Amino acid sequence: MFNSSITTIELRNANLNIRDFFLAISGQELSLQKIDLSLNIFTSVTDPKTKTIKNTFVFPPTLKELIVSKVKWETDSLVYMLSQQKFVSSCTVDYSSLTLFNDDWEHFHSMLEKAQDPVSTPFLIIWKDNKLDAQFIKFLIKIHQLTSIDLSGCYYEDEKMISILNSLV
């Protein structure tokens, strides 16, 4: 599908379901180091019996930066990406300024609380300008390879500030 010597691809605001792009590159021998899929959507196919996501993606081992900022996410898909998506090598993943279908942050945070221990391996997660909750911080702490978190511009409910701060330490 792609020339194997391409190192950067930007498909910003391409009216694309990111799942389709990931399926197209999954397992391919590519040299991609940076992928920018900002301003698109991400939905997944779930198994009707088990209610689990059927898609698994194998990213190129060369991938260093995945930008999915300002993406509209299906809640299950975002939880899957954060918890179960494996990266062959460590990379930066930028989830800044995301939106959720139905704007259901409470459901997202409760799903993270119930999620399996994460197997994902990003070393930096950028979570700028997103809603913050203690469950999210507790979840991030479980990602063993994670060395940096960018929480710039995040917002939260005032009464949850103390629990969020306590989760950070």
mmCIF file of all heavy atoms in Angstrom, residues 22-46:
data_model
loop_
_atom_site.group_PDB
_atom_site.id
_atom_site.type_symbol
_atom_site.label_atom_id
_atom_site.label_comp_id
_atom_site.label_asym_id
_atom_site.label_seq_id
_atom_site.Cartn_x
_atom_site.Cartn_y
_atom_site.Cartn_z
ATOM 1 N N PHE A 22 -5.042 1.856 10.268
ATOM 2 C CA PHE A 22 -4.248 0.918 11.065
ATOM 3 C C PHE A 22 -4.314 -0.499 10.495
ATOM 4 O O PHE A 22 -3.321 -1.213 10.469
ATOM 5 C CB PHE A 22 -4.700 0.923 12.522
ATOM 6 C CG PHE A 22 -4.262 2.131 13.304
ATOM 7 C CD1 PHE A 22 -4.781 2.351 14.568
ATOM 8 C CD2 PHE A 22 -3.347 3.037 12.810
ATOM 9 C CE1 PHE A 22 -4.387 3.452 15.321
ATOM 10 C CE2 PHE A 22 -2.948 4.146 13.548
ATOM 11 C CZ PHE A 22 -3.470 4.345 14.813
ATOM 12 N N LEU A 23 -5.505 -0.909 10.048
ATOM 13 C CA LEU A 23 -5.625 -2.240 9.435
ATOM 14 C C LEU A 23 -4.787 -2.335 8.164
ATOM 15 O O LEU A 23 -4.174 -3.369 7.893
ATOM 16 C CB LEU A 23 -7.097 -2.551 9.127
ATOM 17 C CG LEU A 23 -7.979 -2.883 10.327
ATOM 18 C CD1 LEU A 23 -9.442 -2.957 9.915
ATOM 19 C CD2 LEU A 23 -7.543 -4.176 10.992
ATOM 20 N N ALA A 24 -4.741 -1.250 7.393
ATOM 21 C CA ALA A 24 -3.982 -1.250 6.132
ATOM 22 C C ALA A 24 -2.477 -1.370 6.363
ATOM 23 O O ALA A 24 -1.780 -2.021 5.580
ATOM 24 C CB ALA A 24 -4.288 0.022 5.337
ATOM 25 N N ILE A 25 -1.957 -0.755 7.423
ATOM 26 C CA ILE A 25 -0.501 -0.799 7.657
ATOM 27 C C ILE A 25 -0.096 -1.931 8.593
ATOM 28 O O ILE A 25 1.089 -2.233 8.716
ATOM 29 C CB ILE A 25 0.043 0.541 8.194
ATOM 30 C CG1 ILE A 25 -0.475 0.824 9.599
ATOM 31 C CG2 ILE A 25 -0.254 1.675 7.229
ATOM 32 C CD1 ILE A 25 0.302 1.910 10.337
ATOM 33 N N SER A 26 -1.052 -2.555 9.243
ATOM 34 C CA SER A 26 -0.756 -3.575 10.249
ATOM 35 C C SER A 26 0.068 -4.717 9.671
ATOM 36 O O SER A 26 -0.287 -5.334 8.673
ATOM 37 C CB SER A 26 -2.061 -4.117 10.827
ATOM 38 O OG SER A 26 -1.791 -4.995 11.895
ATOM 39 N N GLY A 27 1.219 -4.950 10.300
ATOM 40 C CA GLY A 27 2.076 -6.056 9.897
ATOM 41 C C GLY A 27 2.892 -5.824 8.645
ATOM 42 O O GLY A 27 3.660 -6.693 8.236
ATOM 43 N N GLN A 28 2.754 -4.667 8.016
ATOM 44 C CA GLN A 28 3.517 -4.358 6.796
ATOM 45 C C GLN A 28 4.951 -3.971 7.158
ATOM 46 O O GLN A 28 5.198 -3.392 8.207
ATOM 47 C CB GLN A 28 2.866 -3.195 6.033
ATOM 48 C CG GLN A 28 1.436 -3.451 5.620
ATOM 49 C CD GLN A 28 1.334 -4.556 4.588
ATOM 50 O OE1 GLN A 28 2.138 -4.641 3.672
ATOM 51 N NE2 GLN A 28 0.341 -5.421 4.751
ATOM 52 N N GLU A 29 5.872 -4.261 6.283
ATOM 53 C CA GLU A 29 7.263 -3.847 6.489
ATOM 54 C C GLU A 29 7.416 -2.424 5.982
ATOM 55 O O GLU A 29 7.619 -2.197 4.790
ATOM 56 C CB GLU A 29 8.209 -4.803 5.778
ATOM 57 C CG GLU A 29 8.239 -6.167 6.433
ATOM 58 C CD GLU A 29 9.347 -7.033 5.889
ATOM 59 O OE1 GLU A 29 10.400 -6.499 5.486
ATOM 60 O OE2 GLU A 29 9.148 -8.251 5.879
ATOM 61 N N LEU A 30 7.297 -1.495 6.903
ATOM 62 C CA LEU A 30 7.341 -0.072 6.578
ATOM 63 C C LEU A 30 8.400 0.621 7.412
ATOM 64 O O LEU A 30 8.798 0.120 8.465
ATOM 65 C CB LEU A 30 5.967 0.571 6.851
ATOM 66 C CG LEU A 30 4.789 -0.027 6.085
ATOM 67 C CD1 LEU A 30 3.482 0.540 6.597
ATOM 68 C CD2 LEU A 30 4.940 0.233 4.594
ATOM 69 N N SER A 31 8.813 1.801 6.967
ATOM 70 C CA SER A 31 9.810 2.601 7.680
ATOM 71 C C SER A 31 9.178 3.781 8.400
ATOM 72 O O SER A 31 9.881 4.716 8.772
ATOM 73 C CB SER A 31 10.861 3.120 6.687
ATOM 74 O OG SER A 31 11.494 2.039 6.055
ATOM 75 N N LEU A 32 7.874 3.744 8.573
ATOM 76 C CA LEU A 32 7.172 4.878 9.180
ATOM 77 C C LEU A 32 7.710 5.177 10.584
ATOM 78 O O LEU A 32 7.765 4.295 11.437
ATOM 79 C CB LEU A 32 5.672 4.612 9.260
ATOM 80 C CG LEU A 32 4.909 4.655 7.943
ATOM 81 C CD1 LEU A 32 3.481 4.170 8.128
ATOM 82 C CD2 LEU A 32 4.926 6.064 7.372
ATOM 83 N N GLN A 33 8.082 6.440 10.777
ATOM 84 C CA GLN A 33 8.534 6.903 12.083
ATOM 85 C C GLN A 33 7.502 7.825 12.721
ATOM 86 O O GLN A 33 7.416 7.906 13.942
ATOM 87 C CB GLN A 33 9.869 7.636 11.952
ATOM 88 C CG GLN A 33 10.989 6.740 11.522
ATOM 89 C CD GLN A 33 12.295 7.497 11.343
ATOM 90 O OE1 GLN A 33 12.475 8.606 11.853
ATOM 91 N NE2 GLN A 33 13.221 6.907 10.624
ATOM 92 N N LYS A 34 6.738 8.516 11.880
ATOM 93 C CA LYS A 34 5.743 9.466 12.380
ATOM 94 C C LYS A 34 4.466 9.313 11.568
ATOM 95 O O LYS A 34 4.500 9.307 10.332
ATOM 96 C CB LYS A 34 6.263 10.899 12.260
ATOM 97 C CG LYS A 34 5.274 11.947 12.709
ATOM 98 C CD LYS A 34 5.821 13.350 12.517
ATOM 99 C CE LYS A 34 4.790 14.401 12.872
ATOM 100 N NZ LYS A 34 5.296 15.762 12.610
ATOM 101 N N ILE A 35 3.344 9.199 12.303
ATOM 102 C CA ILE A 35 2.023 9.135 11.677
ATOM 103 C C ILE A 35 1.155 10.188 12.348
ATOM 104 O O ILE A 35 1.025 10.203 13.572
ATOM 105 C CB ILE A 35 1.375 7.745 11.865
ATOM 106 C CG1 ILE A 35 2.252 6.645 11.266
ATOM 107 C CG2 ILE A 35 -0.026 7.724 11.266
ATOM 108 C CD1 ILE A 35 1.795 5.227 11.604
ATOM 109 N N ASP A 36 0.569 11.081 11.556
ATOM 110 C CA ASP A 36 -0.344 12.104 12.083
ATOM 111 C C ASP A 36 -1.729 11.870 11.483
ATOM 112 O O ASP A 36 -1.940 12.062 10.286
ATOM 113 C CB ASP A 36 0.152 13.504 11.744
ATOM 114 C CG ASP A 36 -0.675 14.600 12.405
ATOM 115 O OD1 ASP A 36 -1.772 14.308 12.944
ATOM 116 O OD2 ASP A 36 -0.227 15.760 12.379
ATOM 117 N N LEU A 37 -2.656 11.436 12.339
ATOM 118 C CA LEU A 37 -4.031 11.148 11.915
ATOM 119 C C LEU A 37 -5.020 12.062 12.632
ATOM 120 O O LEU A 37 -6.189 11.704 12.817
ATOM 121 C CB LEU A 37 -4.353 9.672 12.201
ATOM 122 C CG LEU A 37 -3.444 8.679 11.473
ATOM 123 C CD1 LEU A 37 -3.627 7.278 12.012
ATOM 124 C CD2 LEU A 37 -3.693 8.717 9.979
ATOM 125 N N SER A 38 -4.590 13.227 13.009
ATOM 126 C CA SER A 38 -5.422 14.168 13.748
ATOM 127 C C SER A 38 -6.676 14.542 12.967
ATOM 128 O O SER A 38 -6.707 14.467 11.734
ATOM 129 C CB SER A 38 -4.622 15.436 14.056
ATOM 130 O OG SER A 38 -3.493 15.109 14.840
ATOM 131 N N LEU A 39 -7.699 14.949 13.712
ATOM 132 C CA LEU A 39 -8.951 15.459 13.148
ATOM 133 C C LEU A 39 -9.711 14.409 12.333
ATOM 134 O O LEU A 39 -10.361 14.725 11.343
ATOM 135 C CB LEU A 39 -8.695 16.712 12.308
ATOM 136 C CG LEU A 39 -8.179 17.913 13.092
ATOM 137 C CD1 LEU A 39 -7.503 18.911 12.170
ATOM 138 C CD2 LEU A 39 -9.314 18.559 13.861
ATOM 139 N N ASN A 40 -9.616 13.158 12.745
ATOM 140 C CA ASN A 40 -10.372 12.072 12.130
ATOM 141 C C ASN A 40 -11.210 11.401 13.218
ATOM 142 O O ASN A 40 -11.328 11.936 14.319
ATOM 143 C CB ASN A 40 -9.416 11.072 11.464
ATOM 144 C CG ASN A 40 -8.808 11.629 10.194
ATOM 145 O OD1 ASN A 40 -9.510 11.849 9.216
ATOM 146 N ND2 ASN A 40 -7.499 11.865 10.204
ATOM 147 N N ILE A 41 -11.764 10.237 12.934
ATOM 148 C CA ILE A 41 -12.534 9.499 13.935
ATOM 149 C C ILE A 41 -11.908 8.122 14.127
ATOM 150 O O ILE A 41 -11.148 7.653 13.274
ATOM 151 C CB ILE A 41 -14.027 9.338 13.556
ATOM 152 C CG1 ILE A 41 -14.185 8.465 12.307
ATOM 153 C CG2 ILE A 41 -14.700 10.680 13.394
ATOM 154 C CD1 ILE A 41 -15.606 7.972 12.091
ATOM 155 N N PHE A 42 -12.236 7.505 15.269
ATOM 156 C CA PHE A 42 -11.784 6.142 15.521
ATOM 157 C C PHE A 42 -12.932 5.346 16.117
ATOM 158 O O PHE A 42 -13.385 5.617 17.216
ATOM 159 C CB PHE A 42 -10.593 6.133 16.480
ATOM 160 C CG PHE A 42 -9.864 4.823 16.500
ATOM 161 C CD1 PHE A 42 -8.553 4.740 16.075
ATOM 162 C CD2 PHE A 42 -10.473 3.664 16.949
ATOM 163 C CE1 PHE A 42 -7.863 3.544 16.095
ATOM 164 C CE2 PHE A 42 -9.805 2.459 16.971
ATOM 165 C CZ PHE A 42 -8.492 2.398 16.540
ATOM 166 N N THR A 43 -13.401 4.379 15.345
ATOM 167 C CA THR A 43 -14.379 3.414 15.843
ATOM 168 C C THR A 43 -13.816 2.032 15.556
ATOM 169 O O THR A 43 -12.984 1.870 14.669
ATOM 170 C CB THR A 43 -15.758 3.556 15.165
ATOM 171 O OG1 THR A 43 -15.630 3.258 13.775
ATOM 172 C CG2 THR A 43 -16.331 4.952 15.350
ATOM 173 N N SER A 44 -14.253 1.048 16.306
ATOM 174 C CA SER A 44 -13.759 -0.317 16.127
ATOM 175 C C SER A 44 -14.913 -1.272 15.932
ATOM 176 O O SER A 44 -16.057 -0.969 16.268
ATOM 177 C CB SER A 44 -12.950 -0.764 17.345
ATOM 178 O OG SER A 44 -11.741 -0.079 17.398
ATOM 179 N N VAL A 45 -14.585 -2.429 15.440
ATOM 180 C CA VAL A 45 -15.560 -3.498 15.288
ATOM 181 C C VAL A 45 -15.492 -4.346 16.553
ATOM 182 O O VAL A 45 -14.421 -4.831 16.919
ATOM 183 C CB VAL A 45 -15.241 -4.354 14.049
ATOM 184 C CG1 VAL A 45 -16.216 -5.492 13.921
ATOM 185 C CG2 VAL A 45 -15.241 -3.490 12.801
ATOM 186 N N THR A 46 -16.622 -4.507 17.237
ATOM 187 C CA THR A 46 -16.644 -5.328 18.434
ATOM 188 C C THR A 46 -17.344 -6.647 18.164
ATOM 189 O O THR A 46 -18.272 -6.717 17.368
ATOM 190 C CB THR A 46 -17.344 -4.612 19.614
ATOM 191 O OG1 THR A 46 -18.612 -4.157 19.185
ATOM 192 C CG2 THR A 46 -16.541 -3.438 20.120
#
